[in-house]
Structure formats: C-alpha cells, structure tokens
Amino acid sequence: MSKDLEGKTALVTGGGKGIGKAISGALAAMGARVIVNYRGDAGAAESTASEIGGEALQCDVSDGAAVAAMVKSIGQVDVLVNNAGAVRDNLLLRMKEEDWRHVIETDLTSAFHTTKAVLMGMMRARWGRVVNISSVVGITGNAGQANYAAAKAGLIAFTKSMAKEVGSRSITVNAVAPGYVRTELTSSSMTEEMMQAVVEATPLKREGTVDDIAAAVAFLCSQRAGFITGHTLVVDGGLSI
Ligand code: NDP
C-alpha cells in the first residue's frame, strides 16, 4: 500500500496486540502517525508503538468521558479504527447481565463514543476514514455468544447509518468482519479442537491471520477505497458462505 496516509493521524483502539497490532503496523506503513490505544496492557501497547514509531495512549473506550479526553489530547484524528473488543461467552440462560453489558459496552458503545469524539474534526477537514471491526458472528449469530453477536451486528448497522450521515463530507465508514484468527481473544474462548473444526469448515482450509485482517482495513483506509462506504468486508476464508 502506498503512503496514502502521510500527514494523517490514525487512532486504533485496542491497537497494542492481536489484530489491532497488525492494523497499527499497516497504517504506520501507509505513512500515518498512529495512536495505539489500550485499556490495561501498557507493555504490549508501548512495545507496538515503539516498533512502528507511534504513540501508546491508555483509555477505556467504553467510558465516554475518558474517550472525549483522549481525543482532545490527540487533536485531529483522520482515521479511526474501532478494534477494541472483548468476549464473555455463555449460553443465554447462564449469561449474567454484567457479562451482557460488558460486551455491549466494550464492543459497540465504544464505537459510539470514539466516532462521536472524532467526527467534528473529520467533518471540518472534509475527509475521514472510519473502520469498525465487526465479526462474522455478527452476520451468522453464534450459540454462546448472544452478547458478542448482538454487539457485532449492531456495529454493522451503526456503520451503515454513519455512512449515510457523513458521506456528503467525504468521510467513509466501513466494517470488516473477520472469521476466526488466533489471538488472546480466541485462545481464551476456543479449544484447539474448535480451531481445527473451523479450518476444516473454511473453503480456503487455513486459519486467518492478523495480517489478513489488517490488509482489508488498510485497503478501506486508502485513497483507492474512496468510493466504498457503508460496506462490511468479510475476511473469513469463505467460512460464512
Ligand atoms: P485481543 O484480545 O488480542 O485484543 C483486544 C484488544 O482490545 C486489546 O488490545 C485490549 O486492550 C483492547 N480492549 C479491550 N477492551 C478495551 C477497552 N474497554 N478500552 C480499550 N481497549 C480495550 O483481540 P483480537 O485481536 O482477537 O480482537 C480485535 C478485534 O477483532 C475485536 O473487536 C474482536 O472482537 C474482533 N474479532 C476478532 C476475531 C478473532 O478471531 N480474533 C474474529 C472476529 C472479530 P488491553 O489488552 O490493553 O486491555
């Protein structure tokens, strides 16, 4: 990808590890100044930031006031990637309200807070890129993940609504829906057998990688994707077809 983002600032929520780390690296390679947001793991975020020449910034993105303060400290944000996410899996009958709320607030409400905080600057600049990291389970649903699937489906509708609201200012808003990728998030919720079953059911017969997801995000942030908005790009090796 060429240096499309030279002179631009990108904020990647949860950008210190896993998929977010790969996204941070890809946007830095496109010339952006990258802000690597994290919630708790300062070590991971600081090492990612130093690898890519970015800056690590702590903020719980489910906290609206904290997000507003973070964005104020950054200044203009041209590219926003809502990547922070968490799972608290359980069958609905066993799911605690606290686990429902935690996942909705971390995976969905966070995008409301961050997008609202950066939007005015993008509108004034008459240019912006927002990419929301959804999931294939936001399209297909998944037993044991009613909270997570609802949040990820919500992100898809949020993406389309925002695309309609801000398109006239040359701001594009898209979603990327990954299949299963080996990260801390999946290793906390999936066994090795479950991962093998996913590979078996995937037409491309391999696991997805963090770089597969970052490549899709980088494309949607590039100048070449300037006429794509409100779209959900599924990156799952064909698993959901
Ligand atoms: P990881 O668990 O590796 O990383 C999650 C990141 O989110 C961490 O950097 C974490 O920061 C951050 N985070 C969590 N809660 C908050 C918060 N409240 N405020 C700020 N940051 C927060 O997960 P993945 O890399 O796997 O997932 C990245 C995204 O991709 C998520 O949205 C996930 O739902 C989505 N996804 C992942 C798939 C997969 O198979 N891995 C499949 C489909 C979608 P810290 O560690 O500092 O707390």
Side-chain angles (χ1 to χ4, degrees), residues 76 78 117-128 169 171:
Q76 175 72 15
D78 307 288
V118 304
L119 207 53
M120 189 54 82
M122 288 182 179
M123 288 170 80
R124 283 205 195 99
R126 296 193 164 266
W127 194 91
R169 309 295 172 102
I171 301 165

Side-chain angles (χ1 to χ4, degrees), residues 6-30:
E6 205 86 67
K8 307 245 189 272
T9 297
L11 169 60
V12 182
T13 69
K17 62 176 67 157
I19 291 171
K21 177 178 180 172
I23 293 169
S24 297
L27 299 182
M30 290 167 76

Side-chain angles (χ1 to χ4, degrees), residues 17 19 39-41 59-61 83 134 148 152 179 181 183 186:
K17 62 176 67 157
I19 291 171
R39 180 191 50 187
D41 195 343
C59 173
D60 176 346
V61 289
N83 164 79
S134 178
Y148 184 72
K152 294 300 187 181
V181 176
T183 62
T186 37

Side-chain angles (χ1 to χ4, degrees), residues 89-92 95 137 140-147 149 180 194:
D89 297 352
N90 221 328
L91 295 173
L92 195 77
M95 188 179 287
V137 309
T140 62
N142 197 22
Q145 289 196 309
N147 49 0
Y180 294 87
M194 287 158 88

Side-chain angles (χ1 to χ4, degrees), residues 38-238:
Y38 67 98
R39 180 191 50 187
D41 195 343
E46 273 156 19
S47 104
T48 297
S50 84
E51 265 175 51
I52 66 167
E55 296 149 54
L57 207 48
Q58 196 284 333
C59 173
D60 176 346
V61 289
S62 66
D63 177 342
V67 168
M70 170 176 69
V71 170
K72 198 171 172 201
S73 79
I74 298 168
Q76 175 72 15
V77 172
D78 307 288
V79 176
L80 169 66
V81 182
N82 286 312
N83 164 79
V87 288
R88 286 203 182 167
D89 297 352
N90 221 328
L91 295 173
L92 195 77
L93 286 177
R94 292 190 198 137
M95 188 179 287
K96 296 191 180 85
E97 184 175 339
E98 182 202 330
D99 295 336
W100 172 270
R101 286 189 187 283
H102 179 79
V103 170
I104 297 291
E105 282 165 20
T106 306
D107 295 55
L108 178 59
T109 311
S110 58
F112 161 75
H113 293 315
T114 53
T115 309
K116 195 169 173 185
V118 304
L119 207 53
M120 189 54 82
M122 288 182 179
M123 288 170 80
R124 283 205 195 99
R126 296 193 164 266
W127 194 91
R129 293 278 190 268
V130 180
V131 180
N132 297 314
I133 306 302
S134 178
S135 165
V136 283
V137 309
I139 299 167
T140 62
N142 197 22
Q145 289 196 309
N147 49 0
Y148 184 72
K152 294 300 187 181
L155 272 181
I156 292 173
F158 177 74
T159 298
K160 292 178 187 174
S161 304
M162 290 314 305
K164 289 184 173 180
E165 280 190 30
V166 299
S168 64
R169 309 295 172 102
S170 299
I171 301 165
T172 68
V173 187
N174 291 290
V176 169
Y180 294 87
V181 176
R182 206 178 279 264
T183 62
E184 274 183 23
L185 183 136
T186 37
S187 26
S188 73
S189 59
M190 291 177 76
T191 61
E192 196 54 41
E193 292 71 40
M194 287 158 88
M195 222 34 189
Q196 285 318 312
V198 166
V199 171
E200 201 44 51
T202 299
L204 286 174
K205 299 291 174 208
R206 68 167 176 86
E207 288 178 19
T209 67
V210 294
D211 293 327
D212 289 326
I213 312 307
V217 175
F219 168 65
L220 290 170
C221 292
S222 72
Q223 300 294 355
R224 282 186 292 166
F227 203 52
I228 301 173
T229 197
H231 187 71
T232 298
L233 183 48
V234 176
V235 185
D236 70 346

